[in-house]
Amino acid sequence: MFIATQRSTDRGATGDILPDSLPSVPGTLPHFLKEPEDSYIIKSNPIKLLCRAVPALQIFFKCNGEWVHQNEHVSREYMDQNTGLKVREVLINVSRQQVEDFHGPEDYWCLCVAWSHLGTSKSRKATVHIAYLRKNFEQDPQGKEVPIKGMIVLHCRPPEGVPTAEVEWLKNEELVSSLTDDNIDTRADHNLIINEARLSDSGNYTCLASNIVAKRRSATATVVVFVNGGWSLWTEWSPCNVPCGRGVQKRSRTCTNPAPLNGGAFCQGMSVQKITCNALCPIDGGWEKWSEWTACSVQCERQRRRECNNPPPRHRGIMCEGPSNATENCTGGMCTQNGKLLHDVKPQSMDGSNDVALYSGLGSGVVVVAVLVVAVMLYRRSQSNYGVDVIDSSALTGGFQSFTFKTPRQGVDDRAEYHAPKGHPPETFPRGLNRDYSNSTVERRSTKKGLLIPNGPPLTPTKDQMRTTGVFGHLGGRLVVPNTGVSLLVPHGAITEDTSWEMYMVINQGESSFQTEEGCEILLGPEVTYGPLGLDLSSPVAMTIAHCAEVDTENWNIQLKRKTQDNSWEEVMSVEDESTFCYCLMDSSSCHLLLDQPGSYALVGEPLTQAAVKRLKLAVFGSMGATPMDYSLRVYCVDDTPYAFQGVVATETSRGGQLLEEPKMLPFRGNTFSLQVYIQDVPQFLWSIKPFTTCQEFSFSQVWCSNQKPLHCAFSLERNSPTTTQLSCKISVRQVKGHEQILQVYTSVAESKKESVPFFMQTDCTVTSQTGPKAFKIPLSIRQRICATFDTANAKGKDWQLLAQKLHLDRNLSYFLKQQSPSAVILSLWEARHQDTGDLDSLASALEEIGKIHSKSTAAKSQEDPESDLVHHLGTGSPGNPVCGMGKLTNHETANSVPEYTG
């Protein structure tokens, strides 16, 4: 290609006259046979630019708009043998220094200009760059572990360089090419993609970047293609392992379909499955009675037969011994015997000895028959006793349980279904207190309804109502359902003067009327009702309900719901929302509610993620079994609320169970995985455990949606010797892909019945109703002074909002704002929150802190400062002194002539 231009001057950039004497072809412009090419300077080596044109009188280079000095040109001229034309060729050198010293808007460039008689022609521009390749990759490939047939993507961004580096991939130092393997794709963006991983794709991968200057290697990325193990098919069931009676059949499978490779997960579940079997015992054959004799034949014989079918031999039984046919002579001497006529034997020749022999034989036969009859009767009696043992197999096995294996779920192998042994009636499993737990102020009304509990005897709950009542007046009081974590605080002044109400609080122990929607919502505590319905109060009551949720707003949506007249449930509020109709304060284990309307309430949780956790309480109880050699361990998994555990207490109290280990808490995640219970480390030389009960399982839905109802499973053990008096083992309770808890059992099974286990630590667990001042921690006079101080804002800014802030109750302030006395409601909530503590430390500290903050705004604190006086009344004295307990409060109030607070 050439570019024709107008005739230029004949003077070069240096001022020299351009030569004009060489012969050429007149009338044509120069034509370039070779134009300068783009070039890269490597290190400090200069590059050469070459131009060749015909016909050309002169050729000169022009770089960056400036003519190159004639002395820097190397020219030669020669004759083209094919065309006979003279060809002119010019060469220049460009150094690294020239390129580095150039600072223009463009890259360093050069072109050449050729002259002929007709004019000039310009070549293309050739750029000159300094070539380089930096050392560090902008992105190194990262190692991966991928399952077989998964996709592998290795990212690589090569170092910066001129010219741009080309990328290749090495696997174990050998070049990887997408041309020879359709499963591999090397993209223009330098990434390596393996569409379906194969075992052969495991290896060390390196990204190789190169240009004309150098080659660079990335960090090595190790790729591991793993295979998770898979179960083979089950083998056929083995024959029953006993020839007669109850035994065991097994089948097995192996983790070889496929076998785990390269760190792949081993198969989950059991490799051996067992079921009980009943092998039919052999029945030996027995003879029937002989048939009647046949008629006498011409051979002077008669015959009779008997069959071996009384009973016929079955199940590998022995055939009858002896002949099945009998033959005898039947003519009385009329037929020949040994070739002689019997009548030839003279009957008169027989002497009297034959008669003696005949009668002796008859007598002996009678004796033998009598002995046989006695023997047969004894034998039948012994067989009858043995038959009872075989029929009632529990007498042989000591309570052996039968099992039915079910389909595996969630990657865990089959588990056993527990059925009650014969001779043991199902135990009553109350959903709360049993009939033995009674209190004069707690009423129960029950109707029985069946309940199926997995892996244990069928349990029959009693649909109880735990009810506590009290008569309250203007002074207020407190209702408590013992050992349930449920209480109701009626504030002072909530009931008008000269008026009293008989109030009640009920916990529903029957089947919950709350229906979950698509399994999403669960009960986090008991359903609680308070009333009566016509109750008219001037301030809200404070209800406390224990719950079992690990409170986390990112994982839970917790709501308060109320039962409507048509027995459906409506949402009152979400605990994170603000409402002027209700107040909800969530602590780690209890929910404190401020309620205006009587009715039935329930705390309901909806998991937002699989990280949602509810707490389970685990407990193991033990008691002697049906025989002195048997011992039963029962493991309970129940929502971690005092009310839910009360059902376990009632059941075990009624059956004489002993708590063998302090109950423990297990976080149970909402990840759809089941709960497994194992018994471990049982001394085999001292104890034997009933087969197939070492591992039992609750499905996820059974545990997650238990709704405050206990679940339990049982382990039946048998002593190998009567001298064994100690039992030690471990109970492991774990959620698949979750947390695990260990219950350590160490007990003496020979001890006499122990006293009842102190399941609860409450010091006042039988008090259900308190009225008047003794129901409150804050004495009435101090309460009234606090309300008078903070209900009205003053110049110092000390109002009920500051009180709420210092008591950490400063959420949903709009609810307090609508109350006639916000401070009184705040103190009621504080009372409910601290009912289990025995002092007023936090309240006194808050008041003292408020006094300190506002004392700084004045030069000297007024002698009339209410906070100072209140803190003094609460017994703090100086900042370093401890706050007085309840007894000191009572004595101080007594000193201030408030007699109702004594005692």
Side-chain angles (χ1 to χ4, degrees):
M1 181 186 74
F2 64 89
I3 302 174
T5 63
Q6 63 181 6
R7 184 180 300 275
S8 61
T9 63
D10 291 337
R11 186 173 299 277
T14 60
D16 299 329
I17 302 298
L18 296 176
D20 176 65
S21 58
L22 293 176
S24 182
V25 178
T28 62
L29 290 172
H31 169 65
F32 286 100
L33 300 178
K34 183 173 180 62
E35 296 182 89
E37 297 178 348
D38 295 338
S39 300
Y40 296 92
I41 297 176
I42 302 173
K43 298 182 180 179
S44 298
N45 300 322
I47 54 98
K48 300 181 185 298
L49 297 179
L50 178 66
C51 265
R52 187 182 299 130
V54 61
L57 299 176
Q58 286 291 350
I59 301 176
F60 282 93
F61 272 91
K62 196 174 188 178
C63 293
N64 303 316
E66 300 289 340
W67 292 104
V68 179
H69 197 280
Q70 185 175 2
N71 294 337
E72 297 178 13
H73 291 74
V74 178
S75 302
R76 75 184 184 97
E77 189 178 58
Y78 62 91
M79 182 73 70
D80 189 338
Q81 300 296 327
N82 295 325
T83 62
L85 298 176
K86 290 183 180 179
V87 179
R88 181 171 291 276
E89 185 177 271
V90 177
L91 177 73
I92 66 169
N93 291 328
V94 179
S95 68
R96 183 186 184 101
Q97 188 66 40
Q98 289 177 277
V99 177
E100 289 178 345
D101 291 343
F102 172 70
H103 302 286
E106 300 179 291
D107 294 331
Y108 191 98
W109 60 268
C110 294
L111 58 78
C112 50
V113 182
W115 279 265
S116 70
H117 293 287
L118 185 61
T120 62
S121 297
K122 290 183 180 180
S123 71
R124 65 178 293 274
K125 282 184 178 181
T127 58
V128 180
H129 298 88
I130 298 175
Y132 68 92
L133 183 62
R134 300 197 185 279
K135 292 184 178 180
N136 296 325
F137 278 72
E138 294 185 7
Q139 182 180 5
D140 286 304
Q142 302 296 319
K144 294 179 179 295
E145 294 184 359
V146 295
I148 195 167
K149 295 187 178 181
M151 177 179 284
I152 303 174
V153 180
L154 297 179
H155 298 278
C156 176
R157 293 176 60 189
E160 179 187 354
V162 175
T164 302
E166 297 181 354
V167 171
E168 296 176 307
W169 285 89
L170 301 178
K171 174 194 170 186
N172 299 331
E173 303 302 324
E174 294 184 2
L175 190 64
V176 175
S177 174
S178 58
L179 300 177
T180 58
D181 192 341
D182 295 337
N183 194 38
I184 295 179
D185 187 3
T186 51
R187 300 287 182 87
D189 57 3
H190 312 308
N191 295 336
L192 174 65
I193 298 178
I194 301 177
N195 296 314
E196 289 190 2
R198 303 155 296 192
L199 289 176
S200 59
D201 292 324
S202 297
N204 297 321
Y205 288 80
T206 307
C207 182
L208 184 64
S210 61
N211 64 5
I212 60 177
V213 179
K215 290 185 178 181
R216 306 284 189 230
R217 292 170 60 96
S218 71
T220 299
T222 301
V223 173
V224 177
V225 179
F226 63 85
V227 179
N228 290 325
W231 288 114
S232 65
L233 296 176
W234 287 103
T235 62
E236 295 295 328
W237 287 105
S238 66
C240 202
N241 66 341
V242 295
C244 174
R246 177 173 291 179
V248 177
Q249 284 181 285
K250 300 180 182 179
R251 66 175 181 176
S252 61
R253 57 181 179 175
T254 57
C255 190
T256 56
N257 186 33
L261 291 175
N262 297 337
F266 195 79
C267 304
Q268 290 189 352
M270 299 171 62
S271 61
V272 177
Q273 194 179 66
K274 300 177 182 180
I275 60 173
T276 57
C277 57
N278 285 296
L280 298 175
C281 296
I283 299 177
D284 295 339
W287 290 115
E288 285 187 340
K289 292 182 179 180
W290 286 102
S291 65
E292 296 295 330
W293 288 104
T294 61
C296 199
S297 67
V298 294
Q299 287 83 20
C300 304
E301 292 179 343
R302 62 178 182 177
Q303 297 179 344
R304 62 178 180 178
R305 294 180 55 81
R306 58 180 178 177
E307 299 292 337
C308 187
N309 56 8
N310 185 29
R314 294 194 303 269
H315 316 312
R316 306 175 308 281
I318 301 174
M319 286 293 294
C320 303
E321 295 183 359
S324 60
N325 296 315
T327 304
E328 71 175 8
N329 193 288
C330 58
T331 61
M334 299 302 296
C335 283
T336 59
Q337 188 177 37
N338 297 328
K340 295 183 180 180
L341 292 175
L342 290 178
H343 60 76
D344 290 342
V345 180
K346 305 297 184 182
Q348 59 269 23
S349 63
M350 299 180 181
D351 55 17
S353 63
N354 292 334
D355 295 336
V356 174
L358 174 62
Y359 289 114
S360 298
L362 289 175
S364 300
V366 170
V367 173
V368 169
V369 170
V371 171
L372 286 175
V373 169
V374 173
V376 168
M377 291 178 65
L378 293 175
Y379 176 76
R380 288 174 63 89
R381 179 174 300 176
S382 64
Q383 287 297 97
S384 175
N385 292 337
Y386 176 77
V388 170
D389 289 343
V390 172
I391 292 171
D392 185 4
S393 58
S394 64
L396 293 176
T397 61
F400 191 98
Q401 310 301 328
S402 61
F403 292 84
T404 302
F405 283 86
K406 300 182 179 179
T407 305
R409 178 182 176 93
Q410 301 291 350
V412 181
D413 200 18
D414 309 333
R415 296 291 181 256
E417 180 181 352
Y418 184 97
H419 301 281
K422 293 183 178 180
H424 297 275
E427 297 290 343
T428 300
F429 193 96
R431 301 270 180 107
L433 299 177
N434 67 356
R435 65 173 63 93
D436 295 331
Y437 184 90
S438 60
N439 187 291
S440 59
T441 57
V442 178
E443 302 175 9
R444 294 167 179 80
R445 300 172 184 176
S446 64
T447 58
K448 295 186 178 180
K449 181 177 179 182
L451 172 68
L452 178 63
I453 298 296
N455 300 335
L459 303 176
T460 305
T462 57
K463 186 177 180 181
D464 290 348
Q465 284 189 341
M466 300 179 65
R467 180 185 180 99
T468 180
T469 62
V471 178
F472 298 98
H474 185 68
L475 294 178
R478 190 190 303 266
L479 284 175
V480 178
V481 181
N483 303 328
T484 63
V486 176
S487 64
L488 185 73
L489 182 74
V490 182
H492 173 272
I495 300 175
T496 59
E497 293 189 30
D498 301 326
T499 303
S500 63
W501 284 90
E502 183 179 5
M503 298 180 62
Y504 63 83
M505 185 167 55
V506 177
I507 298 180
N508 177 25
Q509 292 186 269
E511 291 296 331
S512 173
S513 59
F514 173 77
Q515 300 295 326
T516 60
E517 298 178 0
E518 301 180 357
C520 295
E521 295 180 332
I522 62 172
L523 281 176
L524 299 178
E527 297 176 17
V528 182
T529 303
Y530 86 92
L533 293 179
L535 185 63
D536 183 18
L537 301 178
S538 60
S539 62
V541 298
M543 178 185 289
T544 297
I545 302 176
H547 67 80
C548 61
E550 291 285 353
V551 181
D552 186 344
T553 57
E554 294 182 359
N555 299 320
W556 280 106
N557 175 27
I558 300 178
Q559 301 174 346
L560 178 67
K561 293 200 173 186
R562 178 173 53 206
K563 186 184 291 187
T564 61
Q565 292 182 352
D566 58 355
N567 282 334
S568 61
W569 289 87
E570 64 178 4
E571 179 182 349
V572 178
M573 67 175 295
S574 175
V575 297
E576 292 302 314
D577 295 340
E578 294 198 358
S579 170
T580 59
F581 303 104
C582 180
Y583 190 98
C584 184
L585 175 65
M586 291 292 293
D587 284 341
S588 60
S589 60
S590 295
C591 175
H592 309 286
L593 306 170
L594 294 176
L595 304 173
D596 294 320
Q597 299 181 14
S600 297
Y601 293 88
L603 199 64
V604 175
E606 177 186 4
L608 302 179
T609 69
Q610 291 193 354
V613 172
K614 81 167 187 175
R615 302 186 309 274
L616 297 180
K617 180 169 286 188
L618 310 176
V620 56
F621 291 82
S623 64
M624 299 299 294
T627 69
M629 300 295 287
D630 294 339
Y631 194 79
S632 175
L633 293 177
R634 294 174 296 281
V635 181
Y636 290 85
C637 306
V638 61
D639 292 349
D640 187 17
T641 62
Y643 159 74
F645 192 63
Q646 183 65 29
V648 177
V649 174
T651 299
E652 288 298 326
T653 301
S654 64
R655 70 191 305 171
Q658 298 298 321
L659 184 65
L660 304 182
E661 166 72 323
E662 188 72 19
K664 294 185 178 180
M665 190 276 289
L666 176 72
F668 188 80
R669 298 177 58 190
N671 59 7
T672 72
F673 289 99
S674 59
L675 186 71
Q676 297 176 340
V677 185
Y678 297 86
I679 185 169
Q680 301 171 344
D681 300 342
V682 178
Q684 297 182 357
F685 60 95
L686 297 176
W687 292 87
S688 60
I689 186 170
K690 297 300 183 287
F692 326 124
T693 63
T694 55
C695 176
Q696 302 186 38
E697 182 175 14
F698 298 103
S699 68
F700 171 79
S701 59
Q702 285 177 306
V703 181
W704 190 254
C705 302
S706 60
N707 287 342
Q708 304 290 300
K709 307 306 179 186
L711 300 174
H712 93 291
C713 59
F715 297 99
S716 299
L717 295 93
E718 183 178 0
R719 287 186 283 180
N720 295 333
S721 169
T723 59
T724 300
T725 60
Q726 301 293 328
L727 171 62
S728 63
C729 63
K730 292 180 181 178
I731 304 293
S732 169
V733 184
R734 76 177 186 94
Q735 184 184 17
V736 178
K737 296 188 178 180
H739 294 84
E740 181 180 19
Q741 190 64 268
I742 300 294
L743 299 172
Q744 180 68 55
V745 174
Y746 184 80
T747 184
S748 174
V749 299
E751 292 180 1
S752 59
K753 187 173 181 180
K754 303 176 184 178
E755 296 181 359
S756 299
V757 178
F759 297 109
F760 295 96
M761 299 303 294
Q762 289 93 330
T763 59
D764 199 16
C765 63
T766 60
V767 176
T768 61
S769 175
Q770 289 180 310
T771 58
K774 62 183 179 182
F776 303 97
K777 296 185 178 298
I778 306 175
L780 179 58
S781 62
I782 292 182
R783 178 187 178 93
Q784 292 173 337
R785 296 178 66 181
I786 292 176
C787 294
T789 301
F790 291 98
D791 274 346
T792 304
N794 54 39
K796 296 182 180 180
K798 291 178 286 188
D799 60 5
W800 61 267
Q801 297 187 49
L802 182 61
L803 177 66
Q805 177 185 351
K806 295 305 178 182
L807 294 180
H808 308 291
L809 302 174
D810 53 345
R811 193 183 63 82
N812 196 9
L813 294 179
S814 58
Y815 179 83
F816 300 122
L817 181 62
K818 75 159 192 172
Q819 304 298 325
Q820 182 178 358
S821 174
S823 300
V825 178
I826 292 171
L827 293 178
S828 296
L829 187 58
W830 183 91
E831 285 266 9
R833 193 178 194 181
H834 295 83
Q835 60 183 303
D836 293 330
T837 61
D839 53 48
L840 301 172
D841 286 7
S842 63
L843 178 60
S845 298
L847 295 175
E848 184 177 15
E849 185 176 353
I850 293 173
K852 285 182 179 179
I853 292 174
H854 293 283
S855 65
K856 297 178 181 178
S857 62
T858 58
K861 194 168 183 179
S862 171
Q863 297 296 325
E864 301 292 331
D865 192 344
E867 284 74 30
S868 177
D869 199 22
L870 286 173
V871 170
H872 175 71
H873 276 72
L874 288 173
T876 56
S878 62
N881 295 335
V883 180
C884 293
M886 201 60 158
K888 188 170 183 179
L889 273 170
T890 300
N891 294 336
H892 180 80
E893 289 303 316
T894 304
N896 282 274
S897 301
V898 189
E900 63 267 31
Y901 297 109
T902 61

